[in-house]
Amino acid sequence: MNQPTASQALDNPVTRDAMASFSKATDPRLAEVMGLLVKHLHAFVDESKLSKAEWLKGLEILTAAAQITDHERNEFSLFSDIMGISSMVDVVSQPPGGTPSSVLGPFHNHDSLIKPNGSDLTDGQPGERVWLHGRVLDVHHNPIPHAQIDFWQNADNGLYPAQDSAQDPQNLRCKIQCDAQGGFELLTIRPHPYTVPTDGPVGALLAASNRNIWRPAHFHIIVSAPGYVGLVTELFPSGSAYIDNDTVFGVRPGLIVDVKDCHNEDVAKQFGLTLPFKEVAFDFSLVQQSSTT
Ligand code: BEZ
Ligand code: FE
């Protein structure tokens, strides 16, 4: 038997009235979004024949999410991530033609220090050295001069500074201004797979669903330049565990990078490395703002 669709739910007067109740919002987009949200949530209740006990359980889960959420921890954002909603918003809002976007995650910090292009972020810590470099281009492959890179990743123990008081809060993160040819480079370490926080209601749901709690290794990068649509994305070293099973659905084929052996003597000298060392090369492509508006 066919399941009822969202539009069939409109036959129900409760759905019709609840949708219509938002139609007079001053902001027409609010009216549209709330109308559609009500329509699809009602269709979900109808199709799943949600019981009162299940509805109450859902409210309990949301209450637990609110109780664990503070200015450093947002369980609602994590729910969005593990249900694939954050990634779905990326998919539908991404302007065509540029580098794919990916989830921001909870560990971005606005106050990363601006460091010189070519900085060594490793500061004597353990971890396999990786020379990460590339260019920021427009969709026609022209360099975007002086674009900004905002970079962060986890340490060799798999933890971000916010999870590990032994790390300097600025560890393995920085902002860098690209050169006039859009070029950037930094020395970092190989990132590691990482579990999403599991001590709240999201963790309980993942466990009850027999779901993986891991993300594959990744570098986080935000690329921005005046006149271009900002890009929030990640790079995933190929071969990382969980690359085919990211619990927040952030991996895109265009964001998987090879970590290669590099024999460049000048770079080895610049960073005090022995040959061969590891390199990741990646060019980002930004979409012009005017072409999307
Ligand atoms: C992360 O990349 O660190 C992350 C992303 C989404 C949810 C949790 C963690
Ligand atoms: Fe991350």
Side-chain angles (χ1 to χ4, degrees):
M1 199 181 87
N2 287 341
Q3 297 294 338
T5 63
S7 54
Q8 281 171 297
L10 286 174
D11 295 341
N12 185 315
V14 175
T15 302
R16 241 185 6 242
D17 291 351
M19 284 179 69
S21 72
F22 287 101
S23 63
K24 291 189 211 68
T26 314
D27 178 349
R29 179 65 179 157
L30 177 64
E32 183 184 15
V33 169
M34 287 310 298
L36 283 171
L37 185 62
V38 164
K39 174 173 152 178
H40 288 273
L41 287 177
H42 283 222
F44 153 72
V45 171
D46 187 29
E47 186 174 339
S48 64
K49 297 286 172 265
L50 200 69
S51 70
K52 279 216 165 122
E54 289 163 340
W55 171 71
L56 279 172
K57 182 72 191 167
L59 293 186
E60 252 174 49
I61 290 172
L62 291 178
T63 305
Q67 283 163 347
I68 206 172
T69 293
D70 59 22
H71 68 287
E72 281 183 351
R73 163 84 181 263
N74 191 327
E75 197 74 355
F76 294 98
S77 168
L78 194 53
F79 264 120
S80 164
D81 294 338
I82 61 101
M83 290 196 293
I85 295 173
S86 311
S87 280
M88 198 57 199
V89 172
D90 278 343
V91 167
V92 302
S93 61
Q94 170 115 43
T99 298
S101 59
S102 185
V103 295
L104 175 69
F107 297 115
H108 176 248
N109 234 307
H110 288 281
D111 65 355
S112 285
L113 299 175
I114 299 177
K115 296 199 173 156
N117 196 0
S119 285
D120 178 354
L121 306 184
T122 62
D123 198 22
Q125 68 196 284
E128 186 175 22
R129 273 40 184 169
V130 177
W131 177 44
L132 174 63
H133 65 104
R135 288 191 307 159
V136 178
L137 308 172
D138 68 17
V139 293
H140 307 294
H141 308 289
N142 301 309
I144 301 177
H146 311 303
Q148 183 181 268
I149 301 280
D150 185 345
F151 173 88
W152 70 107
Q153 68 163 93
N154 61 7
D156 206 43
N157 60 4
L159 300 176
Y160 288 88
Q163 305 170 294
D164 177 8
S165 57
Q167 286 182 53
D168 183 307
Q170 292 282 343
N171 193 34
L172 295 173
R173 64 186 173 98
C174 67
K175 289 178 183 162
I176 275 181
Q177 194 182 61
C178 296
D179 63 25
Q181 287 74 46
F184 68 89
E185 60 168 330
L186 53 85
L187 186 72
T188 187
I189 62 166
R190 187 191 277 272
H192 292 277
Y194 147 88
T195 72
V196 296
T198 54
D199 55 341
V202 166
L205 178 63
L206 291 172
S209 311
N210 291 318
R211 268 186 56 176
N212 164 47
I213 57 173
W214 289 83
R215 297 211 64 207
H218 53 274
F219 299 111
H220 287 277
I221 293 133
I222 299 177
V223 190
S224 52
Y228 292 85
V229 180
L231 173 70
V232 177
T233 194
E234 304 177 275
L235 297 178
F236 299 89
S238 60
S240 166
Y242 309 103
I243 200 147
D244 296 322
N245 188 18
D246 180 3
T247 197
V248 303
F249 313 102
V251 180
R252 317 267 174 269
L255 298 177
I256 298 175
V257 291
D258 286 332
V259 182
K260 293 190 182 142
D261 280 343
C262 181
H263 297 268
N264 186 318
E265 285 180 10
D266 293 339
V267 175
K269 204 173 289 171
Q270 178 185 344
F271 292 116
L273 302 170
T274 45
L275 294 175
F277 55 90
K278 297 294 180 191
E279 115 183 271
V280 168
F282 191 86
D283 290 343
F284 295 94
S285 170
L286 297 189
V287 175
Q288 221 165 358
Q289 236 155 25
S290 54
S291 62
T292 63
T293 51

